[in-house]
Amino acid sequence: VYEHHEEITNSAKQEAKPPKSPYWFNKEEWWPCWIGFIGFFIIGLLVHGGYRAPELQKWQDNPFKAFSDDSCYGLPVLYLCLLLLVWLALGSVQFVDWKLFPIGFTTIFFCSLLSKVVARQIQIRSASFGDSIWAIFFGMIISNVVYTKSIPKSLKVSQQTEIYIATSLVLLFIDISELAPLASKAFLVSWIDTPILFLLFSLFGWKVLKFELTVSIILSGTALVCGSSAAMALASAMSLHKEHSEIPIAISSLLTIPAIIALPRIAKGLNMSSYEAGSWFGGCVDSTGAVIASANAFGGAETISSSAVVKMAQNALIAPLSVIVTLFVVRYPKHFHLENEKTKLKATKVKVPTTLDNINLLWSRFPKFVIGFVVSAIFYNTVVPLDERQLCKNFAFVVSEWFSTCSFVSIGMSLRLRTLVHKLSHLTKLIFFYILVQTVDIIITGGFAKAAFSL
């Protein structure tokens, strides 16, 4: 699977590349921040004006009833905003074939919309088949059924998985007022076992299962931290092409479904309190949407609030983990099959780089959208009026989920069944490792959640 992705990466490198912008703020790595900040400003204006985020409704027999709420009139506006913002980013950096983006993105957005409509069907929703699974499915139909050889350029340029996921993270606001009352317990559940397990399983996958260290780190982070956001952040920290994070994200999306279904039932069987169950879900279920789905299945406002708080605390863990991984990459590049400036200088018999050189290299590898995530949280907690804060957060979460769903369509389009079948043994090994990590995480996090609310 990863050999196939390497082929894609190599072929992409051979294509004509646009000239790089001399301005730091106009580089591709920074644009998720700017899109998120512009989105933040627009969302604030809409909330202040009394507008609601487009919300699809549950339906039984008629899928058009998903659009029965008046807020759905805002879907065309949402489509245009997402299209224009990402198109602006691609045009600014002169991305290859950027002028074709609106054509391809229209397909991406339609598949995202279709995924959300299907996921709102009552029986499908009760079975916990969320829109991420359907988005990957529809994306795979495009790349395996509609276009069996190669997808057109307009769709290729719309496969902006990294921008979609990074922007979705920037728009996940952390509310300090919600985090503060449960902060100590939330950090106990999410900041102690998670980093330790991340280190242990990264080493286990590398040394015992003989994965490449990069693969082991991304899979461990995806399973233990927060799914797609962690996968993309860690891949960026190791300067890897986006294809290296797509298989772990797809595995995560598929294997999160059993957890959403089973964990609420297990929590009830163990007579967990609402706070214990919510903290458990928040600490071991991958994405924020899946966490809320598990909490709703268990029931109770306390369950939902505690699960959201723990997940917020765990999302914040992305920043320090990215820094640590980046430092490790800079210090030990050989383990990652990467070449840093020190290696290049030694090869040419030039003096070893200074500390400042290594700091600059560290900065160049650090995923910039993590900074956007932190800055947006600061703005949210200081600029947004208190009476509009919850509405703003809910609106931003809806927009964040749309970006996330677009990323899953993009991931599905990159998955070729013939390649996956050809590499089935390796894929099976990846799935086994993910299940192992997730199972251990569920058990240990459950113990921490129980202990945290027993103190």
Side-chain angles (χ1 to χ4, degrees), residues 345-363:
L345 289 169
K346 282 183 178 179
T348 55
K349 297 182 179 180
V350 181
K351 67 174 183 177
V352 174
T354 63
T355 302
L356 181 60
D357 293 327
N358 284 326
I359 291 174
N360 289 333
L361 184 60
L362 171 65
W363 172 249

Side-chain angles (χ1 to χ4, degrees), residues 5 108 132 135-140 143-144 158-162 164-165 228 231-232 242-243 245-251 253 404-416 420:
H5 287 324
I108 294 276
S132 61
I136 292 174
F137 174 71
F138 291 131
M140 290 182 70
S143 60
N144 292 275
S158 69
Q159 285 184 275
Q160 298 297 325
T161 307
E162 185 170 359
Y164 299 145
I165 292 178
S228 59
M232 194 60 67
K242 65 179 182 180
E243 276 80 12
S245 61
E246 289 178 341
I247 293 295
I249 291 171
I251 292 173
S253 300
S404 181
T405 306
C406 288
S407 76
F408 287 116
V409 176
S410 178
I411 289 169
M413 288 167 56
S414 71
L415 301 177
R416 294 276 181 173
L420 295 177

